[in-house]
Amino acid sequence: MDVRKAVIPAAGYGTRMLPITKAQPKEMVPVVHKPVIQYVVEEAYYSGIKEILIITGKHKRAIEDHFDRSNLPKKDKHIEKLDRILNEVNIYFVRQREQKGLGDAVKYAEAFVDDEPFALLLGDTITIPPCTKEIIKVYERYRTSIIAVEEVPVEKVCLYGIIACKPVENSIYLVEDLVEKPSVDEAPSNLAILGRYILTPEIFDCLKNTKPGKSGEIQLTDAMRILSKKEYMYAYLFKGKRFDIGNKADWLKANIELALNDKELGEEIRTFLKLLGA
Ligand code: G1P
């Protein structure tokens, strides 16, 4: 079966972005022209997906408002582009009742997913070019769960889910184990889960058997560990750019890099940076 559906968890607090996220969801933080979550929805859309579930929670209503059709009297070209996409996709929302971790949030997608493979895109991460499109291609060859990974410096393994794996072919690895946020000593590699996955619906049974892990939360990585023992799971080494907007330095870098590449703003920002001499 093809990947037709996407799930976007957007329920986490955004503590690393405080006080910006005191009264607004971290997924609504702007990057150049639009909030992060719009990049994520567009990534799903440009990867061929038309059915999208966003998992929200407390204080996240702005996300739902953002994806309503606009009724502005005079339209703006960015709004028109968004409206064109909204005409073609169905976006559904469900609220996580308590903040019990990413794994718990994903559980809320079970009815929506309805026994199909699905793409999972973390709502605070931007990938360029769209990583989901690439892992769907990998899924079409392997027909099982695929995780996108990237190499990170060893001192950063404690921030990510890290995999143990063996190479299969160019950029593809067979996943042998997964550990959520290990210490440098525990980390089986420096290949980090970057927030884009294709998962088989068997993940939901695994989530039901997943006990609270790191930080006392239900970790998706722990459920995927169970899944990797039941069926083959592959990792895909993504060579593009990934911005984790849940952290201030990456968020600022994303703004600078994407503004430099922007048709409207690029030149002005480039001149400004030159003047700064930074
Ligand atoms: C989550 C996942 C982790 C993954 C990371 C990617 O962690 O639990 O496995 O590597 O996203 O950003 P979080 O960043 O929400 O703490």
Side-chain angles (χ1 to χ4, degrees):
M1 190 176 269
D2 291 342
V3 179
R4 297 186 317 116
K5 296 179 179 175
V7 173
I8 304 179
Y13 271 131
T15 28
R16 285 175 297 156
M17 291 293 278
L18 279 169
I20 300 168
T21 48
K22 183 162 180 254
Q24 70 170 331
K26 64 174 166 171
E27 297 79 10
M28 288 301 294
V29 167
V31 177
V32 192
H33 297 288
K34 48 200 180 191
V36 187
I37 188 99
Q38 189 178 330
Y39 287 86
V40 182
V41 165
E42 288 178 2
E43 175 173 337
Y45 171 76
Y46 289 117
S47 304
I49 292 174
K50 303 277 170 68
E51 302 293 312
I52 299 172
L53 175 74
I54 302 182
I55 302 163
T56 68
K58 264 192 196 56
H59 312 304
K60 300 277 183 171
R61 255 174 306 171
I63 298 178
E64 295 179 37
D65 291 341
H66 186 74
F67 292 108
D68 265 347
R69 295 298 304 276
S70 59
N71 49 6
L72 299 169
K74 198 161 170 280
K75 289 237 170 168
D76 152 287
K77 68 172 190 282
H78 297 291
I79 290 288
E80 278 173 0
K81 190 174 164 213
L82 174 58
D83 279 350
R84 273 199 300 278
I85 294 177
L86 293 179
N87 274 339
E88 287 189 48
V89 298
N90 289 316
I91 304 185
Y92 308 89
F93 296 93
V94 62
R95 278 167 78 101
Q96 184 187 25
R97 280 188 288 269
E98 282 174 87
Q99 297 232 334
K100 294 203 291 191
L102 178 60
D104 179 69
V106 174
K107 280 186 187 177
Y108 286 76
E110 186 170 9
F112 167 80
V113 162
D114 192 22
D115 232 16
E116 293 187 23
F118 64 101
L120 185 77
L121 297 81
L122 300 191
D124 60 359
T125 296
I126 296 175
T127 66
I128 294 177
C131 179
T132 303
K133 194 169 182 175
E134 298 183 15
I135 53 176
I136 287 178
K137 285 213 182 92
V138 180
Y139 171 82
E140 283 165 358
R141 289 177 47 221
Y142 287 88
R143 299 272 153 197
T144 191
S145 298
I146 313 289
I147 329 169
V149 295
E150 66 176 356
E151 285 183 77
V152 295
V154 196
E155 65 278 9
K156 291 208 166 161
V157 288
C158 58
L159 299 174
Y160 297 101
I162 301 291
I163 62 165
C165 58
K166 64 172 186 232
V168 175
E169 56 169 313
N170 195 13
S171 299
I172 313 271
Y173 301 83
L174 178 68
V175 176
E176 294 177 320
D177 206 356
L178 305 96
V179 201
E180 179 67 7
K181 305 196 172 92
S183 64
V184 175
D185 296 338
E186 292 160 345
S189 75
N190 68 336
L191 291 176
I193 300 174
L194 64 81
R196 296 293 186 263
Y197 318 72
I198 304 295
L199 294 170
T200 61
E202 282 68 28
I203 191 68
F204 295 106
D205 276 342
C206 303
L207 280 166
K208 283 171 201 152
N209 294 319
T210 302
K211 306 266 169 319
K214 205 98 209 176
S215 327
E217 297 187 333
I218 309 281
Q219 296 293 347
L220 177 65
T221 305
D222 294 342
M224 290 173 63
R225 180 166 201 257
I226 302 176
L227 185 61
S228 72
K229 310 288 174 206
K230 291 188 177 175
E231 43 178 59
Y232 288 116
M233 179 180 284
Y234 293 92
Y236 170 70
L237 183 62
F238 179 60
K239 304 270 173 52
K241 291 253 173 186
R242 167 216 191 245
F243 300 99
D244 172 9
I245 308 300
N247 110 35
K248 281 182 192 160
D250 262 23
W251 166 61
L252 289 169
K253 287 183 204 165
N255 270 291
I256 296 168
E257 192 164 337
L258 299 183
L260 282 172
N261 292 331
D262 187 73
K263 276 193 213 116
E264 267 172 56
L265 306 168
E267 234 177 272
E268 191 174 338
I269 301 299
R270 196 173 315 273
T271 313
F272 171 70
L273 289 178
K274 274 191 196 139
L275 278 174
L276 278 183

